[in-house]
């Protein structure tokens, strides 16, 4: 790190001179800071309470847990001094919590988005402690949802609590919007945004639901991949058949499905669906520079992931492959006998769950159409093929030169005391494009999850250090963003 008062190269090659203190920029209020440090233990206990709800949106038997979790969050926000609405939808409720508005004041307004739903915790036997019984282990808090996403938006809530309880005036109005269907494609949030467009009119959306490469690399994520999900069903004989009596004369749906899946990608790792790459943008010079700053090497990454070697589309580094290139993944494959021992059958059917990750400017609908046409073309006439479209979300790209993005970078720099990075990430948050389309605003993605947080895997964790730093970042953010919005 260069010394104080030195000059160094920041995101987009801008020269950063002097420290923020010397430049007279807005600093964290000392009463707010004191409140945050004095209440750390309670914050952790409250987060644990929140994490005890098994709010798994993908599994219908958790419907009442979803409601209980939303109710708990709404009550918690109310206790904090926010004005709360727990809004029913055709799916899981959406919690809206607003900072009290002062009559006549015209402050800028920001929406903080988060999701209280979590991914299924299975396989349970791989957890070191039960997924919905949070455990502290050194710097880590282990529980499903700890970093994706309860811990991250909870840090924002606690920063606002610090303002409210110390009487420090917030320089902007805030609305927390916490939904319960992000992990299943934000099913009902689009409609909600349309209905509540006026209440949600704002300068930008702030989201902490992404990653940072290390505690020394706070990040503004300026691009997310989109997603197109589908299920492919191959049906053959109208019942399972004896594979000795009939095998060799009837097509096996499991084998056909494997052939179809093999038709999706070539030996160079390129997707073979005609037209798939149409609209895919090349990386810009500054993007390559930012990727080069990341603290990863291919061999270390392979060790970390427990694979023999990394593999992806030829001609791109593994960091480019996982963030700036589109992909196809089989997420689940089911057919035939899965129990103990063997059973000699030709299964009647086979199914695959697929998701394609998309990059600007691919469109989920078009990808689903193209993949369906391709599979229909290569499928033999001996089986029935059904392609069932699933959820979709467009890719997202923000211009990081904008004033609000730059203000976020200042907040990251000030709170983490190191140079932030601009990140393209491979994950998807389908609603960010709807925010843009329906509300006309950008999303500022300021993630607090480390690469080894095990999001969607067994033993998900949140770093307690980042939980604390996240609260500080959230406290510093509002003066920076409000000032930038008023310029
Ligand atoms: N928090 C993630 C998204 C994410 C993670 C973005 C890491 C960037 C870096 C979010 O909860 C998530 O998992 N989204 C799903 C969306 C899908 C189910 C539609 C995803 O990306 O698989
Ligand atoms: Zn997730």
């Amino acid at each position: 790190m260069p010394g104080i008062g030195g000059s160094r190269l920041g995101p987009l090659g801008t020269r950063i001179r002097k420290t923020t203190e010397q430049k007279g920029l807005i600093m964290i209020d000392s009463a707010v800071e004191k409140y945050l440090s004095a209440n750390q233990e309670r914050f952790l206990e409250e987060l644990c309470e929140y994490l005890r709800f098994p709010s798994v949106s993908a599994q219908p038997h958790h419907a009442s847990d979803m409601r209980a979790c939303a109710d708990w969050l709404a009550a918690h926000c109310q206790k904090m001094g926010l004005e709360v609405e727990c809004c029913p939808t055709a799916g899981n409720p959406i919690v809206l919590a607003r900072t009290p508005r002062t009559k006549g004041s015209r402050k800028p307004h920001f929406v903080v988005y988060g999701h209280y739903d979590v991914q299924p915790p299975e396989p349970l036997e791989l957890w070191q402690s039960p997924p919905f019984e949070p455990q502290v282990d050194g710097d880590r808090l282990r529980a499903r949802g700890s970093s994706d996403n309860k811990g991250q938006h909870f840090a924002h809530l606690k920063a606002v609590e610090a303002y409210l309880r110390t009487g420090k005036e917030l320089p902007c109005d805030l609305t927390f919007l916490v939904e319960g269907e992000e992990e299943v494609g934000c099913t009902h949030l689009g409609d909600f945004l349309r209905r509540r467009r006026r209440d949600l009119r704002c300068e930008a959306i702030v989201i902490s639901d992404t990653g940072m490469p290390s505690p020394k690399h706070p990040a503004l994520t300026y691009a997310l991949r989109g997603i197109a999900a589908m299920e492919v069903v191959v049906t053959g004989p109208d019942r399972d058949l004896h594979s000795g009596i009939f095998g060799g004369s009837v097509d096996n749906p499991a084998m056909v499905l494997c052939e179809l899946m093999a038709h999706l990608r070539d030996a160079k790792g390129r997707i073979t669906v005609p037209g798939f790459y149409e609209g895919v943008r090349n990386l810009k010079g500054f993007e390559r520079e930012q990727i080069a700053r990341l603290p990863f090497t291919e061999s270390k990454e392979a060790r970390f992931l427990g694979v023999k070697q990394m593999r992806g589309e030829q001609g791109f580094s593994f960091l480019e492959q996982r963030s700036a290139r589109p992909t196809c993944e089989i997420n689940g494959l089911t057919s035939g006998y899965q129990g103990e021992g063997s059973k000699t059958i030709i299964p009647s059917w086979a199914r695959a769950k697929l998701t394609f990750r998309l990059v600007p400017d691919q469109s989920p609908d078009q990808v689903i159409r193209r993949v369906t046409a391709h599979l229909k073309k290569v499928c033999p006439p001996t089986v029935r093929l059904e392609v069932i479209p699933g959820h979709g979300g467009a890719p997202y790209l923000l211009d990081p030169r904008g004033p609000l993005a730059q203000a976020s970078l200042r907040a990251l720099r000030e709170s983490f005391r190191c140079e932030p990075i601009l990140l393209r990430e491979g994950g998807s948050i389908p609603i960010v494009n709807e925010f843009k389309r329906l509300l006309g605003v950008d999303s500022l993605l300021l993630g607090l999850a480390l690469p080894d947080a095990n999001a969607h895997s067994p033993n998900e964790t949140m770093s307690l250090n980042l939980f604390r730093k996240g609260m500080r970042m959230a406290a510093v953010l509002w003066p920076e963003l409000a000032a930038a919005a008023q310029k």
Side-chain angles (χ1 to χ4, degrees):
M1 276 289 281
I4 287 179
S7 148
R8 58 194 180 214
L9 208 58
L12 301 174
T14 50
R15 290 262 152 211
I16 300 149
R17 296 206 348 264
K18 314 262 171 160
T19 60
T20 42
E21 291 92 331
Q22 286 161 310
K23 292 291 259 184
L25 291 176
I26 306 155
M27 302 292 300
I28 188 166
D29 178 78
S30 65
V32 166
E33 185 159 41
K34 257 197 212 134
Y35 183 90
L36 287 177
S37 22
N39 288 282
Q40 288 302 315
E41 251 173 63
R42 173 170 59 83
F43 295 160
L44 178 59
E45 278 162 26
E46 290 170 348
L47 175 58
C48 289
E49 235 179 276
Y50 191 19
L51 289 166
R52 286 196 189 98
F53 292 93
S55 45
V56 184
S57 51
Q59 299 173 339
H61 68 272
H62 281 299
S64 61
D65 297 314
M66 301 302 303
R67 275 192 303 277
C69 186
D71 287 344
W72 180 90
L73 179 63
H76 190 83
C77 291
Q78 197 149 32
K79 248 193 313 187
M80 271 175 50
L82 298 173
E83 294 164 4
V84 181
E85 265 179 89
C86 192
C87 313
T89 71
N92 297 323
I94 292 169
V95 177
L96 271 191
R98 297 154 26 112
T99 50
R101 310 291 199 243
T102 342
K103 256 213 177 120
S105 91
R106 308 198 86 238
K107 292 179 185 175
H109 177 214
F110 293 91
V111 170
V112 186
Y113 166 85
H115 61 94
Y116 65 85
D117 67 322
V118 303
Q119 285 272 323
E122 289 80 8
L124 296 177
E125 66 282 8
L126 295 186
W127 284 78
Q128 286 164 265
S129 50
F132 298 107
E133 293 173 28
Q135 283 258 326
V136 174
D137 196 345
D139 171 54
R140 297 300 175 102
L141 174 62
R142 186 171 51 244
R144 172 55 91 229
S146 51
S147 62
D148 188 6
N149 168 255
K150 289 172 178 169
Q152 295 203 49
H153 64 259
F154 205 67
H156 280 277
L157 277 169
K158 295 293 112 175
V160 168
E161 178 183 309
Y163 275 87
L164 297 176
R165 291 279 157 83
T166 56
K168 169 81 187 166
E169 192 184 351
L170 270 161
C172 48
D173 291 333
L174 296 177
T175 302
F176 283 86
L177 188 172
V178 187
E179 68 150 325
E181 299 183 351
E182 194 274 345
E183 300 290 11
V184 288
C186 306
T187 330
H188 296 99
L189 185 52
D191 269 352
F192 183 81
L193 296 186
R194 254 175 238 117
R195 267 188 282 131
R196 303 294 294 260
R197 189 179 280 158
R198 284 189 44 204
D199 300 327
L200 295 170
R201 194 181 297 149
C202 62
E203 311 293 333
I205 314 284
V206 169
I207 306 179
S208 288
D209 188 27
T210 46
M212 61 195 293
S214 87
K216 292 201 178 106
H217 295 80
L220 170 69
T221 293
Y222 69 98
L224 288 173
R225 285 196 287 196
I227 193 163
M230 65 190 76
E231 211 158 329
V232 179
V233 188
V234 175
T235 316
D238 60 5
R239 58 201 181 276
D240 290 354
L241 300 176
H242 191 298
S243 64
I245 301 175
F246 300 102
S249 66
V250 179
D251 232 341
N252 179 321
M255 309 274 288
V256 173
L257 183 64
C258 292
E259 284 165 16
L260 291 181
M261 296 298 101
H263 264 108
L264 289 173
R265 206 178 66 168
D266 69 13
K268 292 187 173 156
R270 271 184 78 83
I271 290 150
T272 46
V273 175
F276 181 79
Y277 288 93
E278 211 178 281
V280 169
R281 293 195 207 176
N282 290 327
L283 279 166
K284 295 199 171 127
F286 88 87
E287 302 189 284
R288 290 227 147 87
E289 274 168 33
Q290 290 295 312
I291 289 179
R293 288 180 60 204
L294 295 173
F296 298 108
T297 65
E298 202 164 317
S299 52
K300 262 205 219 142
E301 192 64 9
R303 238 175 295 134
F304 165 61
L305 297 175
V307 294
K308 280 161 64 181
Q309 260 180 37
M310 304 296 281
R311 184 180 173 204
E313 188 186 358
Q314 273 177 29
F316 298 90
S317 75
F318 77 101
L319 293 167
E320 290 168 357
Q321 289 162 355
R322 68 165 60 155
S323 60
R325 298 297 298 168
T327 62
C328 160
E329 304 288 350
I330 300 176
N331 306 128
L333 207 51
T334 319
S335 181
Y337 179 66
Q338 315 263 344
E340 262 183 76
S342 101
K343 186 180 182 197
T344 46
I345 53 162
I346 295 170
S348 163
W349 55 266
R351 306 176 75 104
K353 288 181 193 282
L354 293 183
T355 47
F356 291 79
R357 295 283 168 169
L358 314 179
V359 300
D361 293 314
Q362 290 175 298
S363 112
D365 290 345
Q366 203 168 48
V367 163
I368 289 182
R369 272 199 304 276
R370 286 184 162 145
V371 173
T372 308
H374 177 63
L375 290 175
K376 292 234 148 115
K377 194 161 155 227
V378 296
C379 184
T382 46
V383 292
R384 277 181 299 281
L385 172 68
E386 205 187 346
V387 181
I388 307 163
H391 57 79
Y396 182 68
L397 189 63
L398 167 80
D399 182 349
R401 289 168 302 190
L404 294 177
Q406 290 294 313
S408 318
L409 287 169
R410 282 197 293 280
L412 289 174
R413 192 177 294 128
E414 206 267 302
S415 51
F416 283 87
R417 306 227 175 261
C418 46
E419 198 43 45
I421 203 150
L422 288 172
L423 210 58
R424 271 185 92 135
E425 287 205 88
S428 313
I429 306 175
I431 204 65
V432 291
N433 271 287
E434 298 294 276
F435 285 139
K436 184 81 189 176
R437 204 167 61 86
L438 299 171
L439 306 179
V441 289
D442 286 321
S443 293
L444 303 163
L445 299 152
L446 303 163
L448 298 169
L450 290 173
D452 63 355
N454 288 331
H456 296 205
S457 298
N459 300 309
E460 179 178 346
T461 63
M462 172 86 195
S463 153
L464 294 175
N465 172 35
L466 287 190
F467 181 51
R468 278 189 296 273
K469 287 203 169 128
M471 289 185 236
R472 218 176 163 274
M473 182 273 285
V476 176
L477 185 65
W478 303 122
E480 290 288 358
L481 284 183
Q486 277 161 330
K487 267 191 193 140

